[in-house]
Amino acid sequence: EMLDRRLQGGVPAGDVVAFTAPADTQAELLLEAIACERETVFVSTLRTAAETKRTLVDAGADLGSPRVSSADPDDLLSDPGRSVGQVPERSNLVVEGVGALEADAREPYLQFLDAVKSSVSNTESVGLLFGIDRETDPPRRSLTLHRADHVWRLYQELTNKGLRTTFSVPKRRGGAALREPIQVRLTDEVEVDTSRDIA
């Protein structure tokens, strides 16, 4: 709720979010929190369906939702409608591990992005594409960021006061991007830190 308030109501229906974070953060907690909010189609190129389902159920997701699948990147790109075209009305679509898709040729990946956008737009849903930040971005990462309506980034640094994790929104199509990052705590849940302002 605090995050929604900072984002002036959250993400509008029909929009796609590109979310990036380093591999050694607890970014999955945010994906899990989103999947627990309402009906969700969760596609992962990083984890097996059984592992993902177990994690989401442990996080509090309804046993009947989300619809979880693991996907081979080649299969996902050759027939995106099979996984991302089956989104229920007013739900979420989460694709975890988009970096494996961004490594492919431009045209198949562009068709995949078109399928995601069409699916969430037609069903008044929200799409979230999660990619791991690396020293060298996958070849199509800039395409993901350009096509997305919103860009979320998670940063983490070790300070003399401990681990500091910040969440920023540098792009928000149709609205104002956040001027300042939000400090969050990612332990066993997502918590917005309101104890101090971030300069």
Side-chain angles (χ1 to χ4, degrees):
E1 291 180 5
M2 178 67 74
L3 203 53
D4 276 349
R5 284 200 295 273
R6 295 285 186 97
L7 297 175
Q8 299 174 345
V11 178
D15 280 6
V16 175
V17 177
F19 174 38
T20 65
D24 60 351
T25 63
Q26 291 273 71
E28 291 94 345
L29 291 174
L30 192 52
L31 304 182
E32 293 161 10
I34 289 167
C36 289
E37 282 297 310
R38 63 179 183 176
E39 193 167 4
T40 298
V41 173
F42 198 108
V43 181
S44 180
T45 67
L46 301 174
R47 298 185 278 178
T48 66
E51 179 187 359
T52 304
K53 183 78 171 179
R54 184 172 59 251
T55 303
L56 294 173
V57 169
D58 289 347
D62 187 330
L63 287 173
S65 174
R67 302 178 190 180
V68 176
S69 64
S70 59
D72 176 82
D74 290 338
D75 292 343
L76 198 52
L77 289 173
S78 65
D79 186 10
R82 184 174 178 186
S83 293
V84 304
Q86 308 299 318
V87 179
E89 293 286 327
R90 295 178 179 84
S91 63
N92 296 324
L93 168 64
V94 176
V95 180
E96 178 188 48
V98 74
L101 309 176
E102 293 169 324
D104 211 297
R106 185 179 190 276
E107 284 308 310
Y109 184 56
L110 193 55
Q111 290 174 10
F112 167 80
L113 292 175
D114 288 344
V116 169
K117 183 62 178 176
S118 176
S119 185
V120 298
S121 180
N122 291 339
T123 59
E124 296 185 343
S125 299
V126 170
L128 189 143
L129 306 175
F130 174 67
I132 295 172
D133 274 335
R134 297 181 172 91
E135 287 187 17
T136 303
D137 282 339
R140 313 292 166 225
R141 176 60 51 88
S142 60
L143 186 57
T144 305
L145 301 179
H146 176 73
R147 288 297 307 275
D149 302 294
H150 308 257
V151 174
W152 295 354
R153 294 186 186 276
L154 199 66
Y155 300 96
Q156 190 170 269
E157 63 177 326
L158 190 59
T159 70
N160 57 359
K161 295 183 178 180
L163 198 61
R164 176 171 147 165
T165 306
T166 54
F167 174 87
S168 69
V169 181
K171 177 181 178 182
R172 189 163 173 262
R173 189 172 284 147
L178 292 184
R179 293 176 58 194
E180 296 180 348
I182 301 169
Q183 188 164 338
V184 295
R185 295 190 192 101
L186 300 177
T187 52
D188 57 342
E189 63 180 0
V190 180
E191 183 181 351
V192 176
D193 184 357
T194 58
S195 64
R196 62 184 178 219
D197 294 329
I198 300 173

